[in-house]
Amino acid sequence: MFEDRPDRQEVVLVGRSNVGKSTLMRELTGHSKFTTGKKPGVTRKPNHYDWAPESFMFTDLPGFGFMSGVEESRSEQIATDIVRYVEANADDILAGVLVVDGKSVVDIIDRHSGPDEIPHDVELFHFLRELEIPTVVAVNKMDKVDDEDERLDDLCDRLGLLPPWRQWQDTIAPISAKRGNVEPLLSALKTHFHDQKRDDLLKFVS
């Protein structure tokens, strides 16, 4: 289980390894301390970036799923720790941001869909919503996607949201963190902060 969590409300970033969570974290906080790299699984424990006066933090949780060079038992333990962390702190999570790779997420979901298998991304999306955590899917790397509307409609379909995706702009946020294009995510977070009477945090997503 992850230890040493500061006593704050938070926005958590969750997702598979190598989808760009740490790059997004850097973009959201304006801070360069978050390690990024081409090798999956760089983040092995939560990275908190907090503002004590506002009792608020962004948290980048470790990536889940297959990681090159990481034993399967270790990656499964990380996934379990992520679930436990979110469950234990659900009351203090203002929003859960599920980060996915816009270019590959639909294919990955389809590859892992079957009678006895629920894809991790779909499972995590519904897990956050079942805990009544406002959930935003940050669809990253959209600069590499040609058929944006079609791809996002397909993703909505896989997540159980009725397309078209544009009716879900508080839930589906197409971004390109590496290029600094995260406005759709910021807009969704503004809505969720306002709904939870935390307008004092709007300055962090403006």
Side-chain angles (χ1 to χ4, degrees):
M1 184 67 175
F2 303 129
E3 306 293 343
D4 304 323
R5 177 190 179 275
D7 184 19
R8 311 264 191 272
Q9 286 194 304
E10 65 184 320
V11 169
V12 295
L13 275 61
V14 297
R16 289 181 179 276
S17 301
N18 227 25
V19 294
K21 292 195 316 305
S22 298
T23 302
L24 177 56
M25 183 78 160
R26 219 165 42 187
E27 194 63 36
L28 289 170
T29 63
H31 204 276
S32 59
K33 76 169 186 172
F34 303 105
T35 307
T36 64
K38 292 189 180 299
K39 186 178 180 182
V42 170
T43 305
R44 297 290 177 85
K45 62 180 184 176
N47 275 324
H48 304 292
Y49 192 74
D50 65 302
W51 291 268
E54 288 83 4
S55 190
F56 169 71
M57 63 186 173
F58 282 107
T59 299
D60 176 18
L61 290 171
F64 60 81
F66 173 77
M67 288 175 273
S68 178
V70 178
E71 290 181 13
E72 187 176 348
S73 60
R74 173 64 183 141
S75 61
E76 286 176 359
Q77 183 61 51
I78 290 171
T80 300
D81 287 346
I82 291 167
V83 167
R84 287 179 179 162
Y85 180 96
V86 173
E87 278 183 325
N89 300 298
D91 289 345
D92 286 321
I93 297 176
L94 295 169
V97 179
L98 172 60
V99 187
V100 300
D101 183 328
K103 193 170 182 182
S104 62
V105 62
V106 173
D107 299 329
I108 290 172
I109 288 173
D110 288 350
R111 196 181 313 141
H112 292 280
S113 294
D116 304 315
E117 188 175 17
I118 301 173
H120 285 315
D121 298 288
V122 175
E123 191 172 29
L124 198 49
F125 175 73
H126 290 291
F127 171 68
L128 290 166
R129 286 162 64 100
E130 283 164 13
L131 290 173
E132 299 184 351
I133 295 170
T135 305
V136 184
V137 182
V139 192
N140 196 20
K141 307 184 185 182
M142 289 304 290
D143 53 304
K144 299 178 180 178
V145 174
D146 297 326
D147 49 347
E148 178 171 317
D149 285 335
E150 183 181 341
R151 182 60 54 133
L152 293 172
D153 285 349
D154 285 346
L155 177 59
C156 281
D157 178 67
R158 303 309 191 272
L159 293 174
L161 304 173
L162 187 67
W165 76 271
R166 290 185 185 278
Q167 67 180 333
W168 299 101
Q169 292 191 38
D170 291 342
T171 305
I172 302 292
I175 64 169
S176 177
K178 209 168 191 176
R179 298 197 171 197
N181 176 20
V182 296
E183 184 54 43
L185 173 59
L186 299 182
S187 178
L189 290 176
K190 284 176 191 174
T191 299
H192 296 308
F193 287 168
H194 180 71
D195 288 348
Q196 294 173 83
K197 299 179 171 55
R198 287 302 310 260
D199 284 356
D200 59 310
L201 301 179
L202 294 180
K203 62 188 175 183
F204 296 124
V205 289
S206 60

